[in-house]
Amino acid sequence: MKLQLILPILLIGVWSKAHAQAQKTDIFILGSDHLAQIYKSDNPNTDVLLAKRQKEIADFSALVLPYKPDMIMVELLPEDQTKIDSLYGLFLQDKLKIEDLPDGRSEVYQLAFRMGKKLNLPKILCVNAPGATSQSILENGENIEIYKKENLELRTFASEKYKALQEGSLSFKDFLTFLNQPEIINKIYHLRYITPSRVINGTFKNPDAMVDTAFVNPKYIGAELTSVFKNRDYKIYSNIVTTVNQQNSKKTLLIIGVAHIGSLKNIIRDDEEFNLIDGHRYLDK
């Protein structure tokens, strides 16, 4: 091939690569606990609807808003989209009070709805997937003590924060910021996706319908649990990428349970169409 033909081809390749990189979608994965589940009716400190707690939620949201996403995704099933569209539409028109909703304490309303309105976003998108199960179904097998020990250590590590929240000495702003720290994210990831594979030759205790026990191999019981978690994460990832494409988002925010963050980040890191945003440049203020 003549030199004058090779050079334009090389230049086109360089341009195409640069263009593809320029078209990446930024994604900020924001972790949250399920705020409605934190609530205890006999403890006002756990109530996100309390005036003081509402201010703390607003303060936390204010840390994230400068990111200015063009789309917000939440941990609800796509089947809920019509319902969310209706509620969010009313909320934008000031015709809906979140506190009047049965699940109004949810982070979907407390964080996503409020941020979306501040940013003038037309929709809140649902990207969750079925497949949830409990870590507690893994409770026997060889090396189970390794798994139980790490589980106890994580609970002990986090319990101080939960206790402070329940006593009213920790704000929801600081609690949510804590949940997004690398240390807690890495600890949760290790417990869910690394340590279980060390447990072998066991059985699940009271597995729910999301676990197809007909295909569970007792020899790899720990890995089987991790596969349930990972399977759901890949489905969530599929919902994320297809929603981003449909909405042509270039700067998206995903609000999801903190247990998913480590796994989803690892998956999305391998997708050249996305650029993971380091949330600490927003939250560490």
Side-chain angles (χ1 to χ4, degrees):
M1 186 180 291
K2 293 182 179 181
L3 181 61
Q4 59 265 37
L5 293 178
I6 295 174
L7 187 58
I9 291 173
L10 291 174
L11 289 175
I12 289 172
V14 171
W15 179 86
S16 298
K17 184 176 181 181
H19 182 69
Q21 291 175 340
Q23 295 301 307
K24 283 188 174 185
T25 296
D26 289 343
I27 181 166
F28 181 172
I29 305 179
L30 183 68
S32 176
D33 204 334
H34 296 306
L35 303 181
Q37 294 178 12
I38 291 176
Y39 172 64
K40 307 298 180 188
S41 59
D42 61 346
N43 186 346
N45 290 321
T46 64
D47 191 355
V48 73
L49 297 179
L50 201 68
K52 173 187 173 182
R53 296 311 202 182
Q54 285 287 286
K55 172 64 166 56
E56 295 165 359
I57 289 292
D59 290 343
F60 177 76
S61 299
L63 296 176
V64 182
L65 288 172
Y67 169 61
K68 295 182 180 178
D70 58 30
M71 182 174 75
I72 296 177
M73 298 179 289
V74 294
E75 192 179 344
L76 288 177
L77 296 172
E79 294 91 313
D80 294 322
Q81 191 63 60
T82 300
K83 171 188 172 183
I84 291 301
D85 286 346
S86 176
L87 292 175
Y88 185 61
L90 293 172
F91 184 67
L92 291 179
Q93 300 174 58
D94 296 321
K95 295 180 179 179
L96 172 72
K97 291 183 179 180
I98 288 175
E99 59 269 25
D100 292 338
L101 295 174
D103 53 347
R105 294 178 177 84
S106 167
E107 62 277 7
V108 171
Y109 306 111
Q110 293 298 323
L111 295 175
F113 268 39
R114 294 182 187 280
M115 288 186 198
K117 188 173 184 179
K118 287 277 187 182
L119 295 164
N120 295 314
L121 299 182
K123 291 172 71 74
I124 302 297
L125 285 302
C126 304
V127 296
N128 193 20
T133 193
S134 170
Q135 292 175 189
S136 65
I137 68 171
L138 179 61
E139 61 87 48
N140 66 72
E142 294 178 36
N143 303 320
I144 189 64
E145 68 279 358
I146 298 174
Y147 179 71
K148 288 185 175 181
K149 180 175 180 289
E150 189 169 315
N151 192 6
L152 178 61
E153 289 173 350
L154 176 59
R155 289 179 180 277
T156 301
F157 179 74
S159 63
E160 180 183 341
K161 297 296 182 181
Y162 281 97
K163 182 179 178 182
L165 188 72
Q166 292 165 357
E167 292 175 345
S169 58
L170 181 71
S171 70
F172 267 96
K173 172 179 175 287
D174 290 340
F175 175 70
L176 290 169
T177 301
F178 160 75
L179 291 181
N180 283 275
Q181 295 302 309
E183 185 177 11
I184 187 69
I185 290 171
N186 291 339
K187 283 180 181 292
I188 295 172
Y189 176 79
H190 200 272
L191 178 64
R192 285 171 65 95
Y193 301 94
I194 303 298
T195 301
S197 291
R198 289 166 168 76
V199 183
I200 57 175
N201 299 323
T203 57
F204 285 144
K205 178 182 178 182
N206 300 324
D208 54 48
M210 289 301 175
V211 180
D212 191 346
T213 54
F215 293 94
V216 169
N217 186 335
K219 180 179 179 181
Y220 302 106
I221 193 65
E224 294 282 9
L225 177 64
T226 297
S227 70
V228 174
F229 293 143
K230 205 68 175 180
N231 181 276
R232 182 183 174 200
D233 289 333
Y234 270 108
K235 291 173 183 175
I236 293 172
Y237 162 70
S238 177
N239 286 337
I240 290 169
V241 296
T242 53
T243 300
V244 165
N245 288 338
Q246 290 167 359
Q247 300 296 322
N248 195 30
S249 171
K250 296 304 176 188
K251 201 170 187 181
T252 192
L253 172 68
L254 170 64
I255 301 174
I256 196 164
V258 68
H260 297 281
I261 294 182
S263 176
L264 286 175
K265 281 188 173 181
N266 283 347
I267 296 170
I268 292 172
R269 263 190 207 104
D270 291 333
D271 190 332
E272 68 280 357
E273 294 185 9
F274 285 87
N275 177 43
L276 274 170
I277 297 300
D278 181 3
H280 299 291
R281 70 192 200 200
Y282 296 98
L283 299 179
D284 294 347
K285 293 180 181 179

